Amino acid sequence: MRRTVRILAIDGGGVRGILPARFLVELEAMSGRPLHSLFDVIAGTSVGGILALGYAAPGPDGTGFRAETVFDDLREWLPAIFPPLQGAASLDGLRDAHERHALSQLVGAALLPHHFGNARYGAAALEERVRGAFGDARLSDVLTDVAVTAYDMHGGQPVVFRSREARGPKTTTRENPRLIEVARATSAAPTYLPPLRLLDDRDESVLIDGGVVANNPAAIAYLDGLECGRDADGAEPDVVLLSVGTGRPSAQQPSYEEIFTRNWASLGMGLLGVVLNGVGEMAHQLVDRMVSGKPAPNHYLRVQPTLTHGASLHIDDATPANLDALISCAEATIAAQRPQLEELLAALTTTEAVPRQPAAAPAS
């Protein structure tokens, strides 16, 4: 009998990560099971990588975190990680130490990058919160397999943190990093948060957000699922894959003239949108073609909410109004796609977990 591997992939998108977080609360509630028991592989990029770690981390008591806890924590974290600056426009706002620090970092990054770095936000708030959630847990400690993306600017190559590899024999500390390091690396979006520097006796890595190469990690997750789900004879498993995005604009139809005449700054920001949205849609199309043509129990569902209710495309808009709007978008998507969710859950819950086996030790 063929195995079936169950995969969850979560896009990057900064504060828009509240969308998949809210959606997955509903999925877990409908299933009555924690996500780490519902999926054999959870892959994520950027905020999606942090969510993936949250769903798979052992937590203080070793039983993991529920999706509702992860959602509540993320909603509390985001305004601290991306502090709004509207109050800093007045002297009263500048007297507040938190606002003053955020404004100083933003101005310093623009005018004195050799001293402040080039990130508009510091990493201290994020580091404090992931340390509180994950403690000293390492990649090998997760309750279900994860694959989390980053990019090494020093080595000039993509990086995928895989728990299967971290569980292999003879791994070094570098090859089995702490979850807090993985969370920092995958979410270090250029110009928003500083890169993560990792050192060992052999080399240096300067890690930035995996969204620059794989904002939608569904294709990576699919290939990882095939590998971990092979049976003793090497036969590929069937695949049930859920891919959850962080939202797309409700309307985006610029004319040729508008695109041709944009200034360089606007063009650059538009290309960032291409990286976040266009590359993600390419991954969706690839996985759709690889999975959807196969017979049951193979199943693929892509959930990509449309940003309505006044939600912003900006990945650092952590104002209460925008977070509420993003949550409203997620809830509208849940209501609209409940039949597809029920069909997906049927496919997920009629299969058993793929046995987790240690991978071979990485080459030294």
Side-chain angles (χ1 to χ4, degrees):
M1 183 176 178
R2 288 167 63 94
R3 290 177 172 178
T4 300
V5 63
R6 305 162 304 168
I7 304 168
L8 170 62
I10 313 171
D11 288 15
V15 301
R16 286 155 47 192
I18 204 74
L19 284 159
R22 175 63 186 89
F23 185 87
L24 291 166
V25 169
E26 190 69 18
L27 180 69
E28 186 176 272
M30 291 172 66
S31 72
R33 296 165 55 179
L35 294 178
H36 66 75
S37 75
L38 202 59
F39 293 98
D40 304 301
V41 178
I42 304 179
T45 292
S46 193
V47 67
I50 294 176
L51 290 173
L53 296 174
Y55 301 135
D61 62 1
T63 63
F65 297 105
R66 300 303 295 246
E68 187 172 6
T69 300
V70 174
F71 169 78
D72 290 340
D73 284 349
L74 183 65
R75 187 170 187 177
E76 183 271 322
W77 292 4
L78 288 171
I81 297 168
F82 301 112
L85 293 173
Q86 63 266 34
S90 67
L91 289 176
D92 287 340
L94 286 171
R95 291 190 184 101
D96 182 272
H98 183 63
E99 293 284 4
R100 187 168 61 248
H101 172 76
L103 182 63
S104 298
Q105 177 61 37
L106 178 62
V107 174
L111 301 181
L112 298 168
H114 62 281
H115 178 71
F116 285 86
N118 56 22
R120 65 189 76 180
Y121 303 103
L126 173 60
E127 290 172 351
E128 177 186 349
R129 283 155 178 81
V130 295
R131 186 177 293 109
F134 302 145
D136 292 324
R138 292 189 175 272
L139 195 55
S140 60
D141 298 326
V142 292
L143 302 177
T144 193
D145 278 325
V146 296
V148 178
T149 66
Y151 185 83
D152 182 3
M153 290 285 288
H154 181 80
Q157 60 184 348
V159 174
V160 182
F161 294 99
R162 292 182 170 93
S163 57
R164 288 187 306 106
E165 295 175 353
R167 292 197 314 275
K170 300 179 181 178
T171 52
T172 66
T173 299
R174 173 77 170 275
E175 292 160 335
N176 185 21
R178 293 178 296 165
L179 298 187
I180 58 175
E181 294 171 324
V182 179
R184 265 285 285 119
T186 192
S187 59
T191 77
Y192 289 94
L193 290 167
L196 176 68
R197 186 187 193 197
L198 290 182
L199 297 170
D200 63 18
D201 293 336
R202 295 178 299 176
D203 204 358
E204 173 187 42
S205 293
V206 181
L207 299 169
I208 65 170
D209 195 310
V212 300
V213 288
N215 198 56
N216 174 356
I220 293 169
Y222 175 76
L223 293 174
D224 273 39
L226 291 184
E227 187 170 344
C228 80
R230 292 181 188 275
D231 62 21
D233 297 326
E236 289 186 353
D238 294 316
V239 171
V240 178
L241 195 158
L242 170 63
S243 171
V244 190
T246 56
R248 62 184 170 206
S250 57
Q252 190 176 45
Q253 298 176 321
S255 66
Y256 171 82
E257 186 66 23
E258 180 186 348
I259 295 171
F260 181 76
T261 58
R262 281 179 181 173
N263 61 46
W264 284 4
S266 297
L267 184 63
M269 292 308 295
L271 291 176
L272 177 61
V274 170
V275 170
L276 294 179
N277 300 315
V279 176
E281 286 305 303
M282 177 62 74
H284 159 57
Q285 292 178 25
L286 289 173
V287 174
D288 189 34
R289 294 190 65 174
M290 289 187 287
V291 180
S292 295
K294 295 182 178 180
N298 288 280
H299 190 92
Y300 172 60
L301 175 63
R302 169 70 169 168
V303 176
Q304 177 64 301
T306 299
L307 296 180
T308 55
H309 298 82
S312 171
L313 268 175
H314 295 295
I315 66 173
D316 61 341
D317 183 354
T319 58
N322 191 49
L323 294 181
D324 288 344
L326 290 168
I327 293 167
S328 294
C329 293
E331 292 171 348
T333 302
I334 291 166
Q337 297 201 242
R338 188 166 294 276
Q340 293 94 322
L341 268 179
E342 292 171 349
E343 185 180 359
L344 173 78
L345 273 175
L348 288 171
T349 54
T350 54
T351 59
E352 296 296 325
V354 171
R356 291 209 301 165
Q357 299 175 351
S364 58

